[in-house]
Each structure stands twice: as structure tokens, then as C-alpha cells.
Amino acid sequence: MTDTAIPIEPFVHPALFYRGDQEYVDGTVPFLLDGMAAAEPVAVAAPPDRLAVIRAGLGAAASEVHFVDMTKAGRNPGRIIPSVLRKFADACTGGRVRIIGEPIWAGRSAVEYPACVQHEALINMAFQGRDVTILCPYDVKALSPDVIADAQATHPVVIDKGREEASSAYAVEDVLARYNEALRHPPGAASVHFDADALPTTRDFALQEAAVRGMSRVRVQDLALVVAELTTNSVVHGGGSGTLRIWAENGQIVCEVQDDGRFTDPLAGRHPVHPDQLGGRGLFLVHFLSDLVRVHSGELGTTVRSYLTLS
């Protein structure tokens, strides 16, 4: 018989499976009201249509909730932990914090989805030992069975039709290994090899290629910072050199840097950055500027891929 006892931990991370607005309200509104009754700070980060449902369900109590449009703040899943979840939780001291976070919805693309699953898995590491509850809703009707299976693997607790139990499929390390996918680039991608001496010319190469492909001046400035951070990291931490590739894809410029280094911190780039902090800002800045970041790191090296809209 499978043990469905729910482990007692300071950090609680349940997945809420819902079908329609009523199940959504039934699973989220009491969660928030219970938090308010216990004087716990509460926040909701979800797509706008879901925020509207919760606001309507809360009525006047909605004024006590911090609302975040996840389609904007969490467009890049790599920004959610430091800039949404940790930002709210770290600002609240003295007791438990409750957050509803819905980073996966039917509109997520196939390119974005692996980063979303990695985010859900990494939440468990980012908040381990903290008095925080993060409830993650999943629309069972709109999402595929594979997505629901991944939710069971990234959440130690599952709530379905009002029943709460431990997930027998919970396996964070397996999920992180499975979605540490090798990133294939198109044959026609422009590329250049670089070392420390070639950092300025490599940046210029990337900016010229992006401009030719129609990137606006504002976004070119963002790309310049992304390229500077990634190539410098390769020189300092990735064996002294690397290869930069750049191409256009679905209205975005895709820029990747590949080197011989290997990430040892699964949360690299997702730690909040403090004003007086020395170092550790590079990948955080890349996440902040990019619409999506994909990473593959293994025995043969690391690839970091940044997606930026043309305008």
C-alpha cells in the first residue's frame, strides 16, 4: 500500500488540480482567507483571467491580497523565484507566508514549458526549511496529461477535488535531470568563437547580427548586456573561452553561449541580488533582461540560451 501521509515540513508546496472556475475558487479563496485569519501575508501570482476569478471570490477581502500578473512578471520562468516569490516572502518577516503561484497555463509554448517545469522543481530547493506555503493551481481540462504528471513529480502534495494527499510520484531530482535537455541550434545560426581578448568584438558581432535581423535599438541594448554577461562568465568560469551563436526565431532573437564549464548550483541566476552584493549578478541579470532563458549543463559543458523579442 502506498504511504499517502503528508510530511510535516516548514515549507509546503501543494499542486491544486482544478476543473473550471468553481473548483478554482473552492481551492484558492479559502486558502487565502485562512491565511488572512491567521495574520499571514498573502499573495497571488497568476494569469489575469485567474486573478479576476479570485478577486470576485474574495469580494472586499481582495484588498488585503498582493496580486501579480504572472504573464508579465513570470513570462520568463527563471525570474519567478527571485522577483516574484522570494521578493514577496523576503519582505514579510515574523511568521508564515502564503502564496498562490500559477506559472503554467495553456498558453505556454513548447519552448517555454521545460523552463516552467524546472522552476516548479527548484521551488522546493529555494524555500526548503522556510515557513512558506506556495499553492500551484493546474487546469486539468486545459493542460495535457503529461503536464499533470510533471506537476505530481514536482509537488510533494496534491489537492484534487478537495482531497489532499502526498504525491507518490514526487521526484524532483528526476525531473531536473529529465529537463536538463541538450539544446540544438539551427544549422544556419551565425557563430563566433571567443576568448578573453575577443570579448569586445564578440559583442559587436552579436549586435550586428541582431540588427540585421530586425531587432530594435532598445532591445539591442538589452542584448549587449546579455552577451557581455554570458561571454564574461565563460571566460572567468567556463574554461577561458566559448562559442556564441545567434539567430532569429518566432519574432525573437536567440543568443546562446556554450563553454566547457558546468553549473554546480541548480539555483544559479535565481538567487535574489542585494545592492551591496559582490559577484553572482551575471546570470540573474540575464534572466531579468530575457523573455526566456534555457540552460543545459553536463559533463561536456554548459549552454545558456537567451530569448529576446525583436522590439
Side-chain angles (χ1 to χ4, degrees):
M1 179 179 295
T2 302
D3 182 4
T4 58
I6 298 174
I8 305 300
E9 300 287 347
F11 176 56
V12 183
H13 185 209
L16 169 66
F17 296 158
Y18 70 93
R19 302 158 188 83
D21 287 353
Q22 190 57 55
E23 285 194 11
Y24 192 77
V25 169
D26 292 344
T28 58
V29 170
F31 171 82
L32 296 170
L33 292 174
D34 288 348
M36 295 178 205
E40 297 173 359
V42 292
V44 181
D49 64 318
R50 300 294 87 196
L51 296 180
V53 170
I54 290 178
R55 285 182 188 273
L58 287 170
S63 62
E64 300 182 42
V65 180
H66 176 66
F67 289 98
V68 177
D69 181 350
M70 187 67 97
T71 63
K72 294 180 179 179
R75 179 176 183 179
N76 173 7
R79 289 201 297 256
I80 299 174
I81 288 175
S83 300
V84 178
L85 304 180
R86 283 285 305 272
K87 182 178 180 179
F88 180 76
D90 291 354
C92 304
T93 59
R96 178 167 291 277
V97 173
R98 293 192 183 208
I99 304 172
I100 294 174
E102 190 165 0
I104 299 177
W105 55 88
R108 284 292 198 185
S109 70
V111 177
E112 294 171 329
Y113 180 69
C116 293
V117 184
Q118 289 171 322
H119 156 73
E120 285 281 55
L122 290 170
I123 287 177
N124 300 285
M125 299 178 183
F127 286 90
Q128 186 176 18
R130 293 193 59 173
D131 289 324
V132 176
T133 302
I134 300 177
L135 176 71
C136 300
Y138 282 78
D139 187 343
V140 175
K141 286 186 175 181
L143 300 171
S144 73
D146 288 343
V147 173
I148 302 305
D150 283 337
Q152 292 171 324
T154 54
H155 295 78
V157 177
V158 171
I159 303 171
D160 193 2
K161 296 181 178 178
R163 182 179 178 182
E164 182 174 338
E165 61 183 15
S167 174
S168 60
Y170 181 61
V172 166
E173 295 293 344
D174 291 346
V175 170
L176 290 174
R178 178 155 45 91
Y179 282 98
N180 184 28
E181 302 172 337
L183 302 175
R184 310 297 181 189
H185 55 270
S191 65
V192 62
H193 185 76
F194 63 87
D195 55 18
D197 294 335
L199 289 180
T201 57
T202 301
R203 182 200 59 201
D204 292 343
F205 168 83
L207 302 189
Q208 290 169 5
E209 293 291 333
V212 167
R213 288 163 173 77
M215 184 172 247
S216 69
R217 290 185 178 181
V218 173
R219 291 303 268 163
V220 164
Q221 292 174 356
D222 292 339
L223 177 64
L225 293 173
V226 168
V227 170
E229 294 295 342
L230 292 180
T231 54
T232 300
N233 280 349
S234 292
V235 168
V236 176
H237 304 292
S241 63
T243 299
L244 178 143
R245 298 183 181 89
I246 188 167
W247 66 92
E249 177 182 302
N250 298 326
Q252 294 178 311
I253 292 296
V254 186
C255 174
E256 72 169 34
V257 171
Q258 184 177 15
D259 59 42
D260 293 333
R262 186 173 184 179
F263 283 177
T264 57
D265 178 7
L267 288 164
R270 301 174 197 248
H271 298 287
V273 173
H274 303 289
D276 57 349
Q277 178 176 323
L278 298 176
R281 296 173 178 267
L283 196 54
F284 175 88
L285 181 60
V286 172
H287 274 293
F288 181 79
L289 294 170
S290 304
D291 298 291
L292 176 67
V293 175
R294 296 283 306 277
V295 177
H296 170 72
S297 189
E299 295 182 359
L300 299 180
T302 292
T303 301
V304 180
R305 181 174 293 179
S306 167
Y307 296 74
L308 298 97
T309 54
L310 290 172
S311 59

